Amino acid sequence: MIKMEQFKNRHIGITEADKQKMLEAIDLSSMDEMIDQTIPSDIRLTEPVSLPKALSEQEYAEEIAHIASLNNIYTSYIGMGWYDTVTPAAIYRNVFENPVWYTSYTPYQAEISQGRLEALLNFQTVVSELSALPLANCSLLDEATAAAEAATMMYGLRSREQVKNGVETLFVDEKVFPQTLAVLKTRMYHAGIELVVGDYKTITFDKPFYGAIIQYPNSDGSVEDYADFTERAHKAECKVAVATDLMALTLLVPPGEWGADIAFGSSQRFGIPMFYGGPSAAFFATREEYKRSMPGRIIGISKDAYGREALRMALQTREQHIKREKATSNICTAQALLATMSSFYAVYHGPEGLKNIARRIHSIATHVGEELKEMGCKQLNSSYFDTLKISLPEGISVQDIRDNAEMRSINLRYFESGEVGISIDETTNPYRVHELLAAFAMATGSSKEYLLEELPLKSSLKEAQLRKSDFLTHPTFNSYHTETELMRYIKRLERKDISLAHSMISLGSCTMKLNAASELLPLGLAGFQRIHPFAPLEQVAGYTQMISELEEMLAEITGFAATSLQPNSGAAGEYAGLITISSYLESNGEGHRKVVLIPASAHGTNPASAVQAGFRPVTVASDANGNVDMDDLRAKVEQYKDDLAAYMITYPSTHGIFETGIKEMCRLIHEAGGQVYMDGANMNAQVGLTNPGTIGADVCHLNLHKTFAIPHGGGGPGVGPICVAEHLVPFLPGHPVSLSTDKNTVSAAAYGSAGVTEITYAYIRMMGADGLKEATEAAILNANYVAEKLKDSYGIVYRGARGRVGHELILECRGLKDVSGISETDIAKRLIDYGYHAPTLSFPVHGTLMIEPTESESLAELDRFVAVMNQIHEEIIEVSRGEYPADDNVLVNAPHPQYEVTADEWKHAYPRSKAAYPLPFVAENKFWVNVARVDNAYGDRNLVSCLCQQ
């Protein structure tokens, strides 16, 4: 019988014949022998994971289309932070569906990231100019977590006097979105910060507050005048953060003009589908003087080695890996792909186009408000942008309105106190207005005809509320308003970046594997895109089915009892897992346990996450072989046994090895009354062969943007669900709107970035249990093959007990530097000349390079990469022999931009051909950088973070 094409054969890059060649190269006879030498026998699975039968790509396409059809697409006027929007087709097709944009990595290597860095700089410019605050970052996870970041940042900015006096109270206005308040309650509780919720109009500052959070327009839709409140707060040494709406700010006086210290919110309505809650990029802006306290990534304008303008990430770049427990945030993943799309939305429409969209939204809201008033409804917002809050005429019930609205496939917001909310958006047109008003007319008995061909231009805002200042005056926002020009602008940026569409991205611990087109195509289905996260449960049967199945499959893969998909990044997953442990300990009367033991080899965000969750991290040393020092662990467990809450372990370790003592570690922690948290960053080496539950952990998070095939998208989206053992299930994250409890809410939507979980669902459904296991084996084989090929030229820093590496390896570069002066940074930059992204640089071991080939790369690509690395090694040896000067060779001058190689004058000691075409294959498909090595220090000393500052 002829089988249908199997997806696993498309995902896994090496063939059966390749496997035999590679096994011979590392002196092994079979995959089983390799796994036996790599993974300790006492943690191996004895039975395969139980998953549904693998589907072919065609079968999956049909099934997921059916699942999407189970979601009912209603016209949504719910608002509350999500609004239907129009994603320009030119952006959707050329960015969202383009692998050059969605498979690129976080722009740590600036020289090969100039395109997406420019798009993110544009995003920062949009946020800065619309908020009227001079400094913006290039996105956060969602609006609610951005609020928590604002609260934490203001806490860190307390004056010495406030710290001395123990000022630890945050004021939050009662009219912020309920999901924002729930996340703030979670984060402040575990940080030991008192949270006071009240009315900003009546709050006095007799009680000292370090910060205040308000919403503009507020949750009811009302546009409030906060100028007096902000002035009173500042006089009391209280900083003010404002949740706001970028579209509204095209018309309203921006927060920076009435004194706000921080502005944040969601950019979702700038062209990003609702996707049942995400992903979409949060924004965050603040004053210039707070630049070293702001969370997230900042794109800055710097210069290259020849003085030409170049972009780079500035200041906070990976600070949580450097500062660890002293970091201002644990944020590691942003929402770069979605921020990029929103920036192109602003570029496409320009300032006048954005204002026209906003005027139309406000005009329709005003028109609807007037018509409802004629029906006897009362508008409770005296001023509003897009959202009405309506009290119904006597004798008309909310159920009457709801029945008529849902009959017309309309969703409204229904307040518990009996009012109705209506949020107008960009997609509202005359017919939809007619249907909306008809739903109310039928309930109230009105017979008026509401169908108009064109809606009249109206405004209900007062003159003092209207924005007078200009924004987005830079040519970038005033040049690309036709599709032809936008398409060419996007292509111009795209050509500056390296992605998986160009070559292998070998970053260790980041798993840059294939993001298959068949996994991503269903994201275009309206049944997934146009669903509001607070739509009634009976309308979202498709999402409910997919989420439930995915949660069960992830629990099965990890060996746990249950899953929460709510955390929308790996760092958020770390935090969620830790507060789940915290809540469990509190329920047992052991809330005093606050010490978390973290190996030195653990993932870099772990200590920062522990601090944010209210714990005290204590480092456990590594031994000479890169393993956890068991004697140090035993001593620390004994020392802190009465206060031990948890042990955070990355497995296999960030050193790339399966430690044989892992079960003993879990036993020691449990006997001391603690819980074991397993960081899932390296789950790509476990799936199908072992799992955290079998090993002995109590909770783990998963990086769906690593192991489970969601694209990195230039730094995000990420999804970081947690899987837990049975005893922790009652403490999983809740949600104030969508779930039965708001306990431990960590994200704005109940299922986080639900819109991209379809990718992981697709990956598991098409790979099946056998395919997932084979993928893990291939990842481990590829890493050991590369290690074998590079061991003589570079050396491998750490190996497991039987001489094998896991799914990644660390190359030793320090000896080469000793003999040649060439650093690991020089090697990373030289790789660019060959068309490759660098491995992970100087992490987790300074002076080294960490490589993870992934299972998706072919043997031909692995051999090409090995040839490049060995050729670079030969170039280093040439310098060590004195063939080229230490200050003028291909490595210290790398990368070589096109403008340098093609210049009339060439001053280097080596020929142009050596710089540009070091191996024959490079000339066949040359990737040209457009900047030379970027001057990082200059960019930090002279921070320019938006186009408006040029």
Side-chain angles (χ1 to χ4, degrees):
M1 179 177 172
I2 300 175
K3 293 182 179 179
M4 292 192 73
E5 185 70 51
Q6 292 182 295
F7 173 73
K8 68 179 182 180
N9 295 331
R10 302 298 188 186
H11 176 82
I12 299 171
I14 54 176
T15 66
E16 289 301 317
D18 293 333
K19 290 177 185 177
Q20 292 308 310
K21 292 179 187 176
M22 295 166 73
L23 287 167
E24 289 174 12
I26 59 176
D27 198 26
L28 291 172
S29 60
S30 68
M31 294 290 275
D32 286 343
E33 185 182 6
M34 180 193 70
I35 297 303
D36 286 343
Q37 291 186 13
T38 306
I39 302 178
S41 59
D42 62 346
I43 62 169
R44 292 282 301 279
L45 298 181
T46 56
E47 298 290 335
V49 293
S50 178
L51 295 172
K53 175 181 173 290
L55 300 176
S56 69
E57 292 178 74
Q58 177 190 340
E59 290 169 334
Y60 177 74
E62 293 171 355
E63 176 156 328
I64 199 65
H66 170 68
I67 290 173
S69 73
L70 299 178
N71 295 322
N72 297 323
I73 302 173
Y74 279 37
T75 301
S76 174
Y77 298 105
I78 298 171
M80 298 176 71
W82 286 273
Y83 310 86
D84 210 350
T85 183
V86 177
T87 307
I91 296 172
Y92 191 84
R93 188 168 183 84
N94 292 305
V95 180
F96 191 71
E97 292 189 327
N98 183 344
V100 175
W101 289 96
Y102 68 70
T103 70
S104 58
Y105 186 62
T106 308
Y108 295 132
Q109 294 292 331
E111 296 83 2
I112 50 171
S113 309
Q114 291 295 298
R116 82 197 87 124
L117 284 167
E118 182 171 332
L120 293 172
L121 183 74
N122 291 343
F123 178 82
Q124 289 178 182
T125 302
V126 171
V127 172
S128 180
E129 295 206 9
L130 286 178
S131 65
L133 286 163
L135 183 65
N137 68 23
C138 64
S139 80
L140 293 176
L141 300 176
D142 63 23
E143 182 167 329
T145 53
E149 294 294 338
T152 304
M153 175 177 152
M154 290 188 292
Y155 184 77
L157 288 170
R158 292 175 301 161
S159 67
R160 289 183 180 180
E161 193 69 19
Q162 287 176 312
V163 173
K164 178 182 176 182
N165 294 331
V167 178
E168 297 186 333
T169 305
L170 174 73
F171 171 75
V172 180
D173 185 66
E174 61 194 6
K175 293 299 177 66
V176 302
F177 288 138
Q179 66 271 18
T180 299
L181 180 58
V183 171
L184 283 168
K185 285 180 177 177
T186 298
R187 293 279 289 268
M188 297 307 100
Y189 174 78
H190 291 282
I193 294 171
E194 181 185 1
L195 191 150
V196 173
V197 180
D199 185 345
Y200 84 94
K201 295 175 183 174
T202 60
I203 193 72
T204 66
F205 289 92
D206 296 338
K207 177 184 177 67
F209 296 97
Y210 75 84
I213 294 179
I214 52 181
Q215 187 128 14
Y216 175 74
N218 70 20
S219 179
D220 289 351
S222 178
V223 176
E224 300 288 316
D225 182 355
Y226 293 117
D228 178 65
F229 168 80
T230 302
E231 185 178 351
R232 288 190 293 117
H234 284 162
K235 285 181 179 178
E237 289 192 83
C238 174
K239 292 180 174 60
V240 177
V242 184
T244 189
D245 180 332
L246 292 178
M247 190 64 77
L249 294 184
T250 66
L251 298 186
L252 301 178
V253 178
E257 293 182 10
W258 44 258
D261 300 289
I262 296 170
F264 64 88
S266 170
S267 63
Q268 179 267 316
R269 69 190 312 171
F270 271 35
I272 310 301
M274 292 183 288
F275 279 134
Y276 200 45
S280 54
F283 64 85
F284 195 100
T286 189
R287 299 177 182 275
E288 185 76 26
E289 57 264 35
Y290 303 147
K291 61 188 178 185
R292 296 195 178 274
S293 299
M294 187 165 75
R297 298 165 178 150
I298 302 170
I299 307 307
I301 300 174
S302 186
K303 63 181 182 179
D304 75 2
Y306 291 93
R308 295 200 179 196
E309 183 175 284
L311 307 178
R312 60 178 287 273
M313 290 205 297
L315 298 176
Q316 276 80 17
T317 302
R318 296 199 96 171
E319 68 148 10
Q320 69 275 19
H321 290 78
I322 301 165
K323 295 185 179 180
R324 296 174 70 86
E325 70 275 4
K326 294 180 181 178
T328 59
S329 170
N330 72 334
I331 289 294
C332 188
T333 304
Q335 296 284 21
L337 180 65
L338 297 313
T340 295
M341 290 176 65
S342 289
S343 78
F344 283 128
Y345 179 93
V347 166
Y348 197 34
H349 289 292
E352 286 306 312
L354 293 175
K355 281 188 279 190
N356 285 338
I357 293 170
R359 288 189 192 108
R360 188 169 173 278
I361 290 170
H362 176 63
S363 183
I364 293 172
T366 302
H367 176 71
V368 170
E370 290 174 354
E371 295 291 351
L372 291 177
K373 185 178 179 181
E374 287 190 15
M375 295 183 207
C377 298
K378 183 179 180 182
Q379 166 58 261
L380 301 179
N381 293 333
S382 59
S383 293
Y384 52 87
F385 165 62
D386 63 353
T387 298
L388 311 174
K389 186 177 183 181
I390 303 294
S391 64
L392 301 175
E394 189 174 346
I396 306 300
S397 70
V398 168
Q399 194 60 47
D400 293 333
I401 299 297
R402 184 165 191 161
D403 289 344
N404 282 291
E406 292 186 356
M407 185 174 67
R408 287 173 166 76
S409 297
I410 291 172
N411 282 330
L412 303 170
R413 181 182 179 186
Y414 303 104
F415 291 85
E416 291 183 4
S417 48
E419 298 84 13
V420 177
I422 305 169
S423 291
I424 303 300
D425 61 50
E426 180 186 5
T427 68
T428 309
N429 58 29
Y431 178 74
R432 289 183 178 180
V433 171
H434 162 75
E435 287 290 286
L436 173 63
L437 292 173
F440 281 85
M442 182 171 285
T444 60
S446 172
S447 58
K448 182 176 177 180
E449 174 61 53
Y450 295 105
L451 187 58
L452 300 172
E453 288 188 10
E454 292 294 332
L455 294 168
L457 183 63
K458 297 180 178 181
S459 177
S460 56
L461 290 167
K462 301 178 182 68
E463 184 65 24
Q465 296 171 319
L466 295 174
R467 180 177 191 135
K468 305 297 190 300
S469 54
D470 292 333
F471 57 89
L472 304 185
T473 58
H474 191 276
T476 295
F477 300 99
N478 294 278
S479 303
Y480 309 111
H481 302 330
T482 67
E483 182 166 334
T484 303
E485 289 299 325
L486 181 72
M487 175 179 65
R488 290 170 180 165
Y489 178 58
I490 292 171
K491 175 59 71 173
R492 190 156 69 247
L493 299 192
E494 172 191 320
R495 291 176 65 188
K496 298 178 181 181
D497 288 11
I498 280 182
S499 70
L500 279 176
H502 297 87
S503 55
M504 176 173 77
I505 298 179
S506 61
L507 288 144
S509 199
C510 289
T511 316
M512 299 294 295
K513 66 191 343 173
L514 172 71
N515 313 122
S518 56
E519 296 162 357
L520 274 76
L521 279 176
L523 271 64
L525 297 171
F528 288 130
Q529 287 195 356
R530 295 192 55 212
I531 307 299
H532 194 285
F534 302 154
L537 197 59
E538 60 270 17
Q539 295 173 18
V540 293
Y543 262 120
T544 301
Q545 175 184 330
M546 185 196 71
I547 287 168
S548 176
E549 289 181 14
L550 180 56
E551 287 177 341
E552 290 175 5
M553 291 189 298
L554 292 175
E556 170 67 17
I557 288 168
T558 56
F560 283 128
T563 305
S564 170
L565 289 170
Q566 190 174 126
N568 47 13
S569 80
E574 290 177 16
Y575 177 81
L578 287 168
I579 64 170
T580 299
I581 289 173
S582 179
S583 296
Y584 166 73
L585 292 173
E586 284 184 3
S587 74
N588 290 340
E590 296 187 306
H592 64 278
R593 291 180 174 268
K594 293 296 181 184
V595 170
V596 175
L597 299 180
I598 304 177
S601 61
H603 213 232
T605 52
N606 289 177
S609 294
V611 169
Q612 287 206 329
F615 292 111
R616 180 162 69 92
V618 173
T619 301
V620 179
S622 297
D623 65 20
N625 297 316
N627 299 303
V628 170
D629 185 323
M630 292 300 292
D631 289 338
D632 190 48
L633 176 62
R634 291 187 184 93
K636 296 279 174 59
V637 169
E638 178 62 27
Q639 181 180 354
Y640 297 106
K641 62 183 179 182
D642 295 334
D643 298 309
L644 181 61
Y647 177 56
M648 294 186 81
I649 176 80
T650 304
Y651 197 78
S653 75
T654 310
H655 290 160
I657 48 179
F658 285 89
E659 301 187 37
T660 57
I662 184 64
K663 295 205 81 162
E664 172 70 2
M665 296 180 210
C666 294
R667 184 188 65 78
L668 288 169
I669 301 303
H670 288 146
E671 287 181 355
Q675 298 285 292
V676 176
Y677 174 98
M678 185 165 286
D679 185 309
N682 292 339
M683 194 68 193
N684 208 46
Q686 287 193 36
V687 178
L689 299 175
T690 183
N691 61 45
T694 298
I695 292 168
D698 301 286
V699 57
C700 77
H701 89 267
L702 302 171
N703 296 87
L704 299 192
H705 52 289
K706 293 184 180 181
T707 300
F708 293 97
I710 291 178
H712 280 66
V719 182
I722 56 171
C723 302
V724 299
E726 189 71 44
H727 62 284
L728 296 178
V729 173
F731 309 99
L732 286 173
H735 193 275
V737 180
S738 305
L739 300 175
S740 59
T741 175
D742 66 354
K743 179 76 171 175
N744 286 341
T745 307
V746 294
S747 299
Y751 302 102
S753 295
V756 289
T757 56
E758 297 126 70
I759 301 168
T760 294
Y761 180 78
Y763 176 66
I764 297 173
R765 290 302 313 274
M766 289 191 287
M767 290 292 282
D770 290 342
L772 292 175
K773 177 173 174 284
E774 288 177 34
T776 306
E777 291 172 340
I780 294 172
L781 175 59
N782 288 357
N784 278 279
Y785 178 77
V786 171
E788 178 67 23
K789 294 292 185 177
L790 296 179
K791 66 179 173 57
D792 294 331
S793 49
Y794 291 88
I796 310 303
V797 179
Y798 295 122
R799 292 182 181 271
R802 298 182 66 181
R804 301 298 173 189
V805 299
H807 66 312
E808 59 191 1
L809 58 136
I810 300 176
L811 287 187
E812 180 61 86
C813 304
R814 291 167 291 192
L816 290 170
K817 184 176 182 180
D818 291 341
V819 299
S820 68
I822 300 300
S823 71
E824 69 282 1
T825 298
D826 297 325
I827 298 171
K829 300 307 180 188
R830 180 57 173 157
L831 272 164
I832 295 171
D833 287 329
Y834 289 84
Y836 279 100
H837 194 294
T840 304
L841 184 65
S842 282
F843 178 84
V845 181
H846 184 71
T848 66
L849 294 171
M850 182 163 63
I851 294 171
E852 182 180 352
T854 87
E855 72 272 15
S856 294
E857 298 301 337
S858 67
L859 178 56
E861 180 70 354
L862 295 177
D863 283 341
R864 191 157 39 240
F865 178 76
V866 165
V868 167
M869 291 301 297
N870 282 326
Q871 180 70 17
I872 290 174
H873 177 265
E874 180 58 32
E875 292 171 348
I876 296 171
I877 297 304
E878 289 173 351
V879 176
S880 73
R881 291 195 298 249
E883 294 179 26
Y884 294 101
D887 61 351
D888 187 25
N889 57 72
V890 288
L891 292 126
V892 297
N893 292 329
H896 296 83
Q898 187 173 26
Y899 74 77
E900 179 191 26
V901 175
T902 58
D904 291 339
E905 188 176 21
W906 180 259
K907 295 183 178 180
H908 297 307
Y910 48 91
R912 297 174 199 258
S913 58
K914 187 177 184 67
Y917 303 123
L919 285 175
F921 84 87
V922 178
E924 296 171 7
N925 187 29
K926 177 67 177 178
F927 176 86
W928 285 107
V929 287
N930 68 317
V931 296
R933 194 174 303 195
V934 176
D935 188 334
N936 292 331
Y938 178 87
D940 279 350
R941 291 193 307 268
N942 305 277
L943 181 63
V944 177
S945 60
C946 70
L947 295 175
C948 50
Q949 295 168 343
Q950 287 186 295

